Structures are given as C-alpha cells and as structure tokens.
Amino acid sequence: MAYRSFKILVSSAGRRVGLIECFRRAARALNIDIQILACDLDPDLSAACGVADRAFAVPAYSHPEFTGRLAEIARAHDVRLLVPTIDPELVPLAAAAGDFAHFDCRVHVSTPPVIDVVRDKLETMRVLDAAGVPVPRTGMLEEVRGELSRWDWPLFLKPNAGSASRSISMVRSMADLPETTAEPMILQQYLDGPEHTVNAFVDDGGTLQSVISHRRLRIRAGEVEKGVTERHTAHRAMAEGILRALPDLRGAFCFQVMDDRLTGPRVIEINARFGGGYPLVDHAGATFAQWLLEEVAGLPRTVHDDWREGVLMLRYDAAVFRG
C-alpha cells in the first residue's frame, strides 16, 4: 500500500530544525503530504518543536512511561514514522518497536542486539575489531588501571555509554586519572589527525546503499559546526565492515573516524541514527530522509551513491520566536 499523506513524529526534537526541514523538502520532492509532529521534555523551549506542525511533551527517555507516551501520540495521530534523534532513547525504542508496528508505525531504529552494541563503546570496539574494522586500543578504566604502564600516553577518557562528547577528556599521565567515577569509563588510544563523520544508509533489505564522509572542520557541543564532504574509499570499506559486524543495522547511521597520522583511519564510535551533521549530507545529494520516506510510503526507490564532494557547511545561530 502506497501512502500519499502521513505523519512523522520526531522525538527528543531539541534543536533539530534542520532535520525537520530535510524531511519537508523530501516530501515536496516526492509530491506527498506530510505533517511533522515533534516531542520533547519541554516543547515550549525546543526550537524544533516550535517549527513542527504540532508539539507534545513527553517524559525523559529514562522514564518507564517514555515509550508508552510516544506510542499514545503515534496511535492517536496516525503516525507512520517515528524518528529518534539522540542515542539514549534508542534502547527503549528498539525494545518497543514491535508495539508501534502493531498500528503500522515504523520506528527508525535497528534491532535491540544492534543497539546494545553501539550504546556500549567498549563492546563496539570489540565487535568491530573481530570483524576486521580498524579501531583504537580501548579498555575499561577500572580493568586496565593497573597495567597502564604498557599503554602509550596520552589517552582519551570517556563514558562507556556517553554521547554528544559528554565528559570526554584527555589524560596525559596516571595523575590525571580520577580515583572514582560516577559512571563506567573507558580509556582509548589517542589518535592524532583529521576527524570525519561518515554517514551511511542501509535499506530495509539490508543493503548498504550510500556512504558519504564529511571532514569535521570545527565542532561545537559534539556537533559539526563547519564541515566539508569528501569521498574516501577507506571509509566505504569501514562502513561495509560495520554492516558485516552488525548485519541487522538499518536506515541512516553514522560513525566517527580519526585518520591518525601514524596508524591510519580508525573507527571510534557508531551512532545508529540520523547524525547531527545530516543536513550537510542531505544538501550534498545523499537524501536519506527522502529514501526513508520512500520505504515508509511504499514508493519507488531512488537510493544512490552519487553525492557531491566538496560541499561546505558553515552553521550559524538562528532563532525561533514565540508570542
């Protein structure tokens, strides 16, 4: 059945105005009518909720009623596609995706085993390494604390389940390591070189259709502020390796690569969702939002890997006004 009109729900919408605009542009290209609903903990203070057609308040992703409230909204408003935007909500939404499917709503999320891996940075490194994908040396802080004389300094310290560059720091010696931590932390080999985000799209049949890299020229709060698209055969090979390691990965995802000057490129983490820099990808011609709408609407597929290299994104602050 082909849908020519349906609703999308963007969860944890926050500042993802650019993502909403990409979906609206995709709908115009496909000549379908969509309404975009958005939700957040406090929708009155969310720019994306401000530009959506309707907005709703929901509990935090850690609340036991989080997915139930989203399902309530989706069912009441005939939502056909739910798009998560932050890593922590992927675990509860992956577990609940089958409940949404009962009323014909697709959650843009991979299976729980995939999400369990990508939300655990140490496990991600282990799984990718076993699949032959190059990764940096990584270990749990408490497990390797006593053997760090065999590691090369400096190192990166980060939460094992962190996101958005939260609580990341460089440590140059044992004296820089905290004695206690509020959450499990990993230590990772320091990599020195350009950083890239590699965005990829896997169709609903499990085929890797497009891989597009952008070099992160400047970062703010964990998101690319200035970036330029580049084509790297090594990054494509890494994406293929990730899919071999995680064959149930679906839809849009991205991974971070450090092109170390000595060891070459290494994957440092995976985000199984639309990345914060996706508007650059979309503008360069890798229109993941459109391809996802084609799948949900039952329309002919236009997926390709013919995007434009050298597209530069320069982000700036804008405002949504109320009242």
Side-chain angles (χ1 to χ4, degrees):
M1 175 181 179
Y3 292 104
R4 303 304 307 188
S5 176
F6 61 93
K7 297 183 179 69
I8 298 172
L9 176 60
V10 178
S11 62
S12 301
R15 299 181 299 154
R16 300 297 292 272
V17 174
L19 179 61
I20 288 176
E21 291 174 343
C22 289
F23 273 104
R24 284 179 170 152
R25 186 162 54 248
R28 290 193 296 270
L30 295 172
N31 194 29
I32 60 177
D33 177 33
I34 65 167
Q35 290 187 40
I36 296 185
L37 316 182
C39 59
D40 210 300
L41 193 61
D42 190 346
D44 290 339
L45 296 180
S46 162
C49 286
V51 303
D53 295 299
R54 292 194 63 177
F56 303 87
V58 297
Y61 63 82
S62 56
H63 194 283
E65 295 182 7
F66 173 68
T67 57
R69 175 59 177 146
L70 289 178
E72 179 183 301
I73 295 167
R75 186 191 294 271
H77 297 278
D78 294 321
V79 169
R80 293 288 168 255
L81 175 63
L82 170 58
V83 181
T85 63
I86 61 173
D87 294 318
E89 65 181 347
L90 297 180
V91 171
L93 283 173
D99 298 333
F100 287 82
H102 289 318
F103 52 91
D104 201 19
C105 176
R106 173 175 169 178
V107 183
H108 178 250
V109 70
S110 296
T111 60
V114 171
I115 300 305
D116 287 344
V117 171
V118 301
R119 289 297 296 134
D120 182 323
K121 295 186 188 302
L122 181 61
E123 185 63 13
T124 297
M125 297 299 99
R126 288 173 175 165
V127 168
L128 295 188
D129 184 53
V133 179
V135 295
R137 185 180 183 184
T138 307
M140 293 299 298
L141 170 61
E142 295 310 317
E143 293 177 4
V144 303
R145 190 188 289 271
E147 58 184 50
L148 286 173
S149 61
R150 297 196 293 270
W151 288 57
D152 294 325
W153 300 88
L155 299 168
F156 270 118
L157 179 70
K158 61 177 72 172
N160 192 45
S163 62
S165 296
R166 175 180 59 82
S167 301
I168 289 179
S169 63
M170 183 187 294
V171 291
R172 299 184 180 278
S173 68
M174 290 286 292
D176 293 333
L177 292 175
E179 292 187 7
T180 60
T181 60
E183 60 184 315
M185 305 289 285
I186 61 171
L187 284 170
Q188 200 163 63
Q189 170 190 357
Y190 174 72
L191 301 174
D192 180 28
E195 182 177 2
H196 292 80
T197 295
V198 185
N199 290 266
F201 186 83
V202 179
D203 68 20
D204 51 3
T207 299
L208 179 66
Q209 294 285 3
S210 188
V211 179
I212 172 171
S213 304
H214 65 259
R215 183 157 43 94
R216 291 158 68 94
L217 302 176
R218 184 171 298 175
I219 312 302
R220 181 169 63 172
E223 260 187 27
V224 61
E225 183 182 53
K226 305 179 193 298
V228 60
T229 58
E230 298 178 345
R231 195 176 289 272
H232 294 271
T233 56
H235 296 175
R236 172 91 193 187
M238 288 174 161
E240 293 169 352
I242 289 171
L243 192 57
R244 286 195 306 272
L246 300 168
D248 291 329
L249 191 59
R250 293 291 184 273
F253 73 97
C254 63
F255 56 97
Q256 304 303 120
V257 174
M258 291 293 296
D259 288 339
D260 186 75
R261 303 180 198 283
L262 296 178
T263 65
R266 295 285 184 271
V267 176
I268 59 174
E269 65 178 52
I270 303 172
N271 304 113
R273 56 171 172 77
F274 280 93
Y278 172 70
L280 169 58
V281 171
D282 192 276
H283 186 79
T287 52
F288 297 179
Q290 178 174 324
W291 304 338
L292 187 57
L293 290 185
E294 289 167 354
E295 291 184 357
V296 173
L299 298 174
R301 311 296 175 85
T302 63
V303 289
H304 61 80
D305 200 34
D306 189 24
W307 45 270
R308 300 190 307 280
E309 192 172 8
V311 177
L312 177 67
M313 178 178 70
L314 305 172
R315 277 179 160 163
Y316 64 96
D317 288 328
V320 172
F321 298 97
R322 298 177 182 270

